[in-house]
Amino acid sequence: VTGDVDVGSVAAFYDHPSLLYMFWQHGLGTLLFGGFVVTFRRYLLGMASELADQALIDVATVIAAAVVPLGLLELGLQMAMVDVAHANSLGTLPALFSSWDWIYNGMFYCLEIGWVGAFNLAALRTRALPRWTAILGLVVAAFHVFHSLVLILGLSDQLTLPGTVLFFIWFLATAV
């Protein structure tokens, strides 16, 4: 329902208390992402002999680490929307939804531009990942520049699907 200003649509989407369990599990996954960041940093640093590459990896790590608290915040906002929608207390729903939407469908993309771009530039320079994987990561970061503008430009969220699919492919390839 991103970008939707119809309170009824937002309420219908979130009026399912079982979503609380899904968002809680997603919170645990967000914490696991922190483990990925630390592990990937250590791997890349082991391949980086140049100070510039080490600095780039550290910058990527700082940006990626910001995903964890921001991710938990956006999940908390979604859990609050479940409560508000289920209680039929729709007066606060638009503000909660707008806050969530700008965090999740706006600012997260900015973070992903930074950490995906910097990690993959370092991986390309150090040859820590196969060349195609690092280049795919840079393509993903470029897509996220567009994604970060979708809400501002009032475009359909559907336009982010190709870049999101590439992001999942990159993440899976990198994890493997």
Side-chain angles (χ1 to χ4, degrees), residues 72-94:
L72 295 175
L73 173 65
E74 73 86 9
L75 288 167
L77 286 170
Q78 288 197 87
M79 293 171 100
M81 286 189 285
V82 170
D83 286 347
V84 167
H86 192 64
N88 203 24
S89 176
L90 304 184
T92 58
L93 192 58

Side-chain angles (χ1 to χ4, degrees), residues 7 64 84 119 159 171 175:
V7 177
V84 167
F119 270 150
L159 296 173
F171 201 84

Side-chain angles (χ1 to χ4, degrees), residues 41-114:
R41 175 186 180 271
R42 293 180 70 78
Y43 169 72
L44 289 174
L45 283 175
M47 305 292 281
S49 59
E50 304 229 0
L51 187 58
D53 293 330
Q54 294 169 1
L56 188 58
I57 293 163
D58 286 343
V59 167
T61 302
V62 168
I63 295 169
V67 168
V68 175
L70 191 62
L72 295 175
L73 173 65
E74 73 86 9
L75 288 167
L77 286 170
Q78 288 197 87
M79 293 171 100
M81 286 189 285
V82 170
D83 286 347
V84 167
H86 192 64
N88 203 24
S89 176
L90 304 184
T92 58
L93 192 58
L96 287 171
F97 178 76
S98 183
S99 298
W100 166 79
D101 205 14
W102 284 102
I103 289 170
Y104 188 72
N105 292 305
M107 295 302 98
F108 260 109
Y109 288 127
C110 291
L111 292 174
E112 289 169 351
I113 293 164

